[in-house]
Amino acid sequence: PSPVPSRPPSSRPPVPVPVPLPALVSSRRGRKSAYSKLKDSFEPQMDFGVVKVAEKDFFNIMVKPGRPWEDGHVNTIMYYLRKKAKYSPIPLSYSTVDCWFMTWVDNIEKQWRESNCDMRSISPDHDVGQCIRGFKLLANIPWDKVDNVIIPVNISEKFHWFLVVFRIKLRCLHVYDSMKGGAVHTKKVNEAVGKLATMIPLFLTSTGFYGKRLDLYANKLPKYVHKSQSDPLDIKHMMHAPQQEDISNDCGLYTCLFAEYISNDVFDMRSIDIDAKYHRQRYATIFWHYGKTKNEDGAISESEVTGTVASKFGGPRIAKEHVPDTTNYPTPRQRTRN
C-alpha cells in the first residue's frame, strides 16, 4: 500500500470498536432438522473440542446429499487437521484457522480503513494477531513454524464456502473454489481474498513474524527480496480445482476436502475426481465413531499445556486422545479422459 499516514504522537491510538459477530451459518440459512424435536436429541452429547453435538441432525447434514454444511462441521474438521499437524510423529508444515478468522479480518479491515489506515489499530493482541502468534485457537501453531496456512472462507450472502491457502514461502494466497463462474460470485470471492491479501502482511509485521522467519530473506526468495513487508500478498486462483455439481450444496464438503488434500501435501488437484456422496459418508462415519469412542472412554479434549487427557470418570490421566490418521484419505482418483 501507499505510505501509511499517522496521527501526531500525542494523540491516542484508535479504540477498536466491538462489532457483533454474525449468527452461525445454520441460523442464517434458517434450516430445519430432518427429525422431530423429540427424536433429534441424543445423550450423552458428543464433544468434538470446538463444538458439542447433541442433535442427530448434525450428522444428517453431513451425509445427506443437498444439505449444506455449517460452521460446526467446517470448524471441527479444521480443528482436527490442526491437531494432526501439531501432534503427528511426522513433521507437517501447515496449520489451519476456523470460520471466525475471516470475520475478524473483515471487521479490522473496515476499522483500519475508517481510521485512515492508522497502523496502531493493527495490534498483535487483536484476534488475527493472536492467531498468527499461535494463540486463540485450540491446537494452534504459530505461523512462523509452518509454511502453509489453510483458511476456510464463507460468503454469507451467497451461502458459499471456498478455501484460501497462504503459501508463506511463495508469499501468495492460493484460492481453491469448487464453484467458479458468474460476475457477482467472482466479485465476492475477490473482495474476501483481497482483504486477506492486504491485512495478513500488516499483522505479520505487527506480530514480529519476519524477525522469526529470517530464512525467507537469507535464502533470497524472490517474492521477498523485491517486496516490502507490508505489500499485499499475491493471489493465484487455482483454475483446475475440482468442481461440484450445480445446486449440490457441496461447497463446504469440497472446502474441507481441499484442506485435507493440502494437509497431505497435495496442492495440484487437476487430475482428482471427487465422489461427494462417498466423502459425505466418510466424514460422518469418522465423526460418529470418534465421538462415540471418546464418550465410551470418558476422554476430554487434551490440555494444550500438559499434552495429556483427563477422564470424565475420575480415573488416572490417560494417553492423548487418538487423532484419526487421514494420510491415505481422501484417496486420489484419476479422471478418465476420452
Side-chain angles (χ1 to χ4, degrees), residues 16-67:
V17 179
V19 178
L21 294 174
L24 292 177
V25 173
S26 57
S27 301
R28 293 198 298 266
R29 290 174 178 166
R31 55 97 172 173
K32 293 183 178 179
S33 173
Y35 305 92
S36 67
K37 189 173 182 179
L38 291 176
K39 294 183 178 180
D40 195 18
S41 61
F42 59 85
E43 289 288 346
Q45 64 184 6
M46 294 184 180
D47 185 355
F48 293 108
V50 294
V51 64
K52 294 182 179 180
V53 178
E55 297 177 345
K56 297 176 184 176
D57 199 51
F58 180 89
F59 297 97
N60 184 271
I61 289 172
M62 295 193 78
V63 76
K64 191 76 170 180
R67 298 206 68 182

Side-chain angles (χ1 to χ4, degrees), residues 16-318:
V17 179
V19 178
L21 294 174
L24 292 177
V25 173
S26 57
S27 301
R28 293 198 298 266
R29 290 174 178 166
R31 55 97 172 173
K32 293 183 178 179
S33 173
Y35 305 92
S36 67
K37 189 173 182 179
L38 291 176
K39 294 183 178 180
D40 195 18
S41 61
F42 59 85
E43 289 288 346
Q45 64 184 6
M46 294 184 180
D47 185 355
F48 293 108
V50 294
V51 64
K52 294 182 179 180
V53 178
E55 297 177 345
K56 297 176 184 176
D57 199 51
F58 180 89
F59 297 97
N60 184 271
I61 289 172
M62 295 193 78
V63 76
K64 191 76 170 180
R67 298 206 68 182
W69 282 15
E70 301 170 355
D71 300 66
H73 303 102
V74 176
N75 278 346
T76 302
I77 291 172
M78 295 300 146
Y79 169 47
Y80 284 108
L81 288 179
R82 280 198 304 278
K83 289 179 70 174
K84 183 178 80 168
K86 188 167 186 175
Y87 302 126
S88 171
I90 303 172
L92 299 172
S93 189
Y94 74 88
S95 189
T96 73
V97 299
D98 65 13
C99 304
W100 294 120
F101 186 80
M102 190 67 223
T103 301
W104 297 330
V105 169
D106 273 332
N107 291 343
I108 193 61
E109 193 267 350
K110 181 179 179 181
Q111 293 179 33
W112 177 69
R113 293 197 182 280
E114 289 178 348
S115 69
N116 200 21
C117 302
D118 193 320
M119 277 297 292
R120 284 173 291 184
S121 63
I122 310 298
S123 166
D125 294 324
H126 184 273
D127 293 329
V128 174
Q130 290 193 56
C131 275
I132 291 173
R133 292 159 58 207
F135 307 126
K136 196 66 181 179
L137 304 177
L138 289 174
N140 203 2
I141 306 172
W143 289 18
D144 59 274
K145 304 294 184 184
V146 301
D147 290 329
N148 302 290
V149 181
I150 298 170
I151 306 171
V153 179
N154 180 261
I155 304 175
S156 58
E157 307 95 302
K158 302 288 291 181
F159 298 153
H160 180 63
W161 294 97
F162 66 95
L163 194 75
V164 176
V165 182
F166 177 25
R167 304 292 306 275
I168 293 176
K169 290 184 177 180
L170 300 178
R171 206 177 183 281
C172 185
L173 298 178
H174 285 193
V175 182
Y176 295 83
D177 190 351
S178 64
M179 193 177 70
K180 300 188 194 76
V184 174
H185 176 89
T186 301
K187 179 182 177 182
K188 292 293 183 183
V189 169
N190 288 341
E191 285 177 355
V193 179
K195 291 177 182 179
L196 290 169
T198 299
M199 301 310 295
I200 286 177
L202 300 183
F203 275 101
L204 293 179
T205 302
S206 171
T207 57
F209 170 86
Y210 295 109
K212 301 171 186 174
R213 286 299 302 266
L214 298 178
D215 62 299
L216 301 175
Y217 295 93
N219 294 332
K220 296 183 179 180
L221 298 180
K223 293 297 183 179
Y224 284 89
V225 172
H226 305 297
K227 293 273 189 177
S228 165
Q229 292 181 354
S230 60
D231 283 350
L233 303 173
D234 294 334
I235 298 171
K236 182 178 180 180
H237 291 268
M238 309 307 286
M239 302 308 296
H240 299 290
Q243 297 293 284
Q244 68 189 72
E245 295 183 6
D246 292 340
I247 65 172
S248 66
N249 285 326
D250 283 335
C251 55
L253 169 68
Y254 273 69
T255 295
C256 292
L257 283 169
F258 293 158
E260 194 173 357
Y261 276 118
I262 289 161
S263 76
N264 293 321
D265 284 334
V266 178
F267 295 92
D268 186 348
M269 305 178 198
R270 71 182 68 200
S271 63
I272 292 172
D273 187 22
I274 290 177
D275 184 338
K277 181 178 179 180
Y278 161 71
H279 287 296
R280 277 181 175 266
Q281 293 173 344
R282 181 176 71 89
Y283 276 124
T285 301
I286 289 174
F287 272 39
W288 176 264
H289 285 290
Y290 179 77
K292 188 171 180 289
T293 301
K294 192 174 177 183
N295 279 342
E296 290 173 350
D297 291 344
I300 61 176
S301 293
E302 79 283 1
S303 164
E304 295 300 329
V305 176
T306 65
T308 58
V309 178
S311 171
K312 296 175 185 175
F313 305 144
R317 301 184 78 80
I318 58 178

